[in-house]
Amino acid sequence: MLAFSNPVGAGTLWFHNLTTAEGTPVAYDPQARTFLPMPPFCANREIIGCNWIAPEEGAFCRACAMTALAPDPTLPNAMENWAVTEAAKRWVLDNFGRWHWFRPEDSGMRPIFHMLADGHTLAAMGHGDGVVTISVSEADPVVRVTRREALYEPYRTMIGHMRHEIAHMLWWRLSLREDFLLAFRDMFGDERTDYTAALQKHFDQGPPQDWELFYLTSYASSHPHEDWAETAAHLLHLTDITDSFVATGLTSPELPRHNWDPYSEPDCALLINVATALAARVNHINRSMGLSDLYPFALSETAHRKLAFVHGWLRRGALGF
């Protein structure tokens, strides 16, 4: 994620800022990728702290307009959790926008979001026919950590959920291309395998003993659809870790050049090698404070090939059709 200049003075603005340090209201323009000090601001600004601009006064921004179903505000903490979830969504939409997905130049369908709060039953997250369903309850760190530990996962965040579920939606869009489907099945396997049965087997029996040799996560081993979504999410993790590192002015001998843009890098092997080297350094820093690793994963040779496959298709973007 980029760091942004202050449009009304000195200093840096960060992606979630609503005001400058001096208190001037600002909003993010996702098309120009800059902050503006003037309305129209998103209609959700006062409701959930959305800091994007809107096309006109009283309208929703590009991101909020994708939410067709909001959580029940009478449920405990629903609005606070929704605000955190929408912030994660904006971050990830901007990530995908670096490859021209879901921007005005993209003529394809946008994801439709159903944001649900847990009531008497848990809200299941997933994707189906362009609709991304997210449980905003996981914005609560206690809920999220409880579920992460129950599922033996090393990493679970709202940004991670958004990257994973939107990746499912992009697979759905890409699957309209026969050349994509043929190449996908050669790399990931046949997605026509019974999905429900495959997930049930995974939760009943666990992953194969040697899953680390072929998959980025144990969950990726459950079905080709999940392998794609996990791989795409990890591609974004690694690209955005690197982009954020560069944006903050940090330097490292692995970086190819000054002001290198990881999102425009065509060489996936170079991108991943730089990203994993930087992640290892930050992992070491985190350990000095007793914190979890920033990126607690190891990449096999097969994982590298899958990341390169996803990179090739996502980097060509919506304009590659």
Side-chain angles (χ1 to χ4, degrees), residues 30-266:
Q31 190 64 18
R33 295 198 175 96
T34 190
F35 274 85
L36 302 175
M38 63 195 74
F41 296 152
C42 178
N44 272 340
R45 186 179 179 92
E46 302 303 323
I47 300 171
I48 56 171
C50 177
N51 71 335
W52 280 21
I53 65 166
E56 59 187 25
E57 197 70 37
F60 292 121
C61 72
R62 181 190 300 171
C64 287
M66 296 180 189
T67 296
L69 187 61
D72 181 350
T74 66
L75 293 174
N77 303 315
M79 298 302 287
E80 296 90 338
N81 291 338
W82 181 33
V84 173
T85 304
E86 288 284 353
K89 183 181 78 175
R90 291 193 298 275
W91 185 289
V92 175
L93 288 174
D94 202 69
N95 291 163
F96 278 110
R98 299 284 289 275
W99 289 320
H100 300 282
W101 294 102
F102 314 128
R103 285 165 58 88
E105 61 266 29
D106 176 6
S107 61
M109 181 178 175
R110 274 76 174 135
I112 299 168
F113 290 89
H114 288 179
M115 304 291 199
L116 306 180
D118 293 344
H120 296 295
T121 59
L122 295 179
M125 287 191 274
H127 164 265
D129 297 332
V131 177
V132 173
T133 301
I134 298 290
S135 168
V136 304
S137 302
E138 286 217 16
D140 183 318
V142 175
V143 172
R144 190 169 61 253
V145 169
T146 299
R147 293 179 184 176
R148 177 177 62 79
E149 292 184 347
L151 294 168
Y152 303 101
E153 294 176 343
Y155 170 84
R156 191 177 180 95
T157 70
M158 294 310 292
I159 282 181
H161 284 316
M162 286 291 177
R163 287 173 176 159
H164 177 101
E165 299 303 341
I166 295 173
H168 277 305
M169 188 270 178
L170 283 180
W171 184 93
W172 180 68
R173 278 186 55 176
L174 288 166
S175 69
L176 299 175
R177 296 184 55 140
E178 185 177 0
D179 58 342
F180 169 78
L181 273 181
L182 292 174
F184 170 83
R185 289 168 183 163
D186 186 57
M187 177 64 67
F188 289 90
D190 193 339
E191 83 289 350
R192 293 168 294 188
T193 302
D194 189 292
Y195 178 78
T196 302
L199 259 61
Q200 189 62 52
K201 179 181 178 182
H202 171 78
F203 290 123
D204 288 346
Q205 302 179 17
Q209 287 189 346
D210 60 351
W211 67 264
E212 294 98 334
L213 298 177
F214 306 101
Y215 305 96
L216 275 160
T217 67
S218 61
Y219 186 54
S221 69
S222 64
H223 191 274
H225 276 315
E226 299 305 336
D227 196 4
W228 161 272
E230 288 285 86
T231 304
H234 277 253
L235 175 66
L236 273 174
H237 296 338
L238 291 165
T239 306
D240 209 43
I241 286 170
T242 310
D243 190 58
S244 300
F245 184 95
V246 173
T248 54
L250 295 172
T251 187
S252 177
E254 290 84 10
L255 294 178
R257 58 188 172 276
H258 181 64
N259 288 333
W260 174 58
D261 180 4
Y263 280 96
S264 63
E265 175 57 55

Side-chain angles (χ1 to χ4, degrees), residues 187-188 211-217 227 230-232 234-235 238 266-277 295 297-312:
M187 177 64 67
F188 289 90
W211 67 264
E212 294 98 334
L213 298 177
F214 306 101
Y215 305 96
L216 275 160
T217 67
D227 196 4
E230 288 285 86
T231 304
H234 277 253
L235 175 66
L238 291 165
D267 185 345
C268 186
L270 172 63
L271 170 62
I272 299 307
N273 287 338
V274 172
T276 52
Y295 187 72
F297 302 95
L299 306 183
S300 67
E301 182 180 339
T302 301
H304 276 271
R305 290 198 300 270
K306 289 177 178 178
L307 286 164
F309 177 91
V310 175
H311 182 255

